[in-house]
Amino acid sequence: MKISIYPTNDDMSKAAADLVAAQLAEKPNSLIVFPSGESPSGMLRYLVQYANDGKVDFSQCTIIGLDEWVGMDERDYGSCKHYLHTNFFNHLDLDPERVVMFDAKAGDLEGECERINNFIGSHGGLDIMIVGIGMNGHLGLNEPGTPFDLYAHLSELAPITVEVGQKYFKQETVLTQGITLGLKHLQEAKMAVLIASGEKKATIVAESLQGHVGTDVPASVLQNIPHARVLLDKGAASELEHIS
């Protein structure tokens, strides 16, 4: 696990975008997982800028969505799909066939998990899987207690996830379940990337990266991934020990 610390969130975001750009330059048809939420917003802005400037080409890659609130799609403000469409896809010349996301309104959600698992497996596995970290250490919607060996699955949302998740909506919204790629996907990705910013994430970042490895803190699985990359700004790294 390589931990890189940057002075600001903007510096961290640019570094994350540069990782994606380098991957696409090396392998244009890469399979890449992008998360939604606050953490990736700067990275996505840089990638849109790079694409508009001709510095990166998304035309041959395939993008996989990390997760979604069950019962929502891109028409629902606050959904993961809505976020990625609004902040990323709508600003790029993307073939819709190259965007693969969970249908969280599907009648057979277990079948959706199987569809995504099969898609990733049949396309040679993930090249980059980028995740943020929740206040309880969740990655995607892999909540505390999630086994490390799960692929895509349904999750019961933790109370803190429901509480924090309200910031994405215009009004209080009932959130009960999520559908998400699994921690096994992260471990098998050719490059697993965690991005985090801000002092509010410092405690859980330190616990995840330097504490006990166990399912009570899902992000601690990163300690089991030798090739993982962790990109932090100074605030998020402020409670780490012995890191320069």
Side-chain angles (χ1 to χ4, degrees):
M1 179 175 61
K2 179 181 179 182
I3 300 174
S4 301
I5 300 170
Y6 301 89
T8 67
N9 177 44
D10 186 68
D11 293 319
M12 183 274 290
S13 298
K14 184 177 186 302
D18 289 345
L19 275 182
V20 175
Q23 172 65 34
L24 288 174
E26 180 179 336
K27 184 183 177 185
N29 64 338
S30 291
L31 206 60
I32 304 178
V33 172
F34 285 107
S36 59
E38 290 180 348
S39 295
S41 58
M43 172 189 68
L44 297 180
R45 279 196 301 272
Y46 271 108
L47 287 173
V48 168
Q49 179 184 322
Y50 289 174
N52 291 337
D53 293 344
K55 295 178 180 178
V56 66
D57 180 8
F58 286 97
S59 65
Q60 297 180 58
C61 76
T62 300
I63 295 171
I64 309 285
L66 175 61
D67 53 16
E68 186 57 271
W69 311 110
V70 166
M72 296 189 188
D73 62 21
E74 62 272 16
R75 293 165 293 184
D76 294 297
Y77 185 95
S79 70
C80 304
K81 278 186 176 180
H82 182 275
Y83 173 90
L84 285 171
H85 278 275
T86 303
N87 293 282
F88 196 37
F89 304 153
N90 292 352
H91 304 279
L92 302 173
D93 184 18
L94 283 178
D95 178 352
E97 299 264 325
R98 292 189 175 276
V99 175
V100 178
M101 304 183 78
F102 289 106
D103 177 1
K105 287 187 172 180
D108 180 7
L109 292 172
E110 295 290 353
E112 269 301 288
C113 294
E114 188 175 348
R115 178 179 71 87
I116 297 293
N117 288 337
N118 289 340
F119 184 91
I120 293 170
S122 65
H123 286 74
L126 300 172
D127 291 291
I128 301 184
M129 181 169 173
I130 305 168
V131 295
I133 185 170
M135 297 300 291
N136 60 358
H138 75 207
L139 301 176
L141 290 173
N142 291 278
E143 298 283 30
T146 301
F148 287 174
D149 61 354
L150 284 188
Y151 289 105
H153 61 97
L154 294 173
S155 65
E156 298 298 324
L157 301 179
I160 185 67
T161 301
V162 174
E163 179 184 336
V164 173
Q166 298 303 320
K167 67 186 176 184
Y168 300 117
F169 299 93
K170 293 179 179 178
Q171 57 193 23
E172 189 164 343
T173 301
V174 176
L175 303 172
T176 58
Q177 285 186 308
I179 186 167
T180 183
L181 296 184
L183 298 174
K184 190 69 170 176
H185 283 124
L186 189 69
Q187 294 170 84
E188 292 184 353
K190 297 175 184 71
M191 186 186 300
V193 181
L194 171 68
I195 55 176
S197 64
E199 290 185 5
K200 67 183 180 181
K201 294 291 179 72
T203 298
I204 193 60
V205 163
E207 187 178 352
S208 299
L209 303 183
Q210 296 184 331
H212 169 73
V213 177
T215 59
D216 54 326
V217 181
S220 67
V221 74
L222 287 157
Q223 295 186 52
N224 292 342
I225 308 176
H227 58 282
R229 296 288 306 272
V230 178
L231 280 59
L232 308 170
D233 69 4
K234 205 168 180 180
S238 60
E239 293 188 25
L240 290 174
E241 296 180 3
H242 312 302
I243 297 287
S244 57

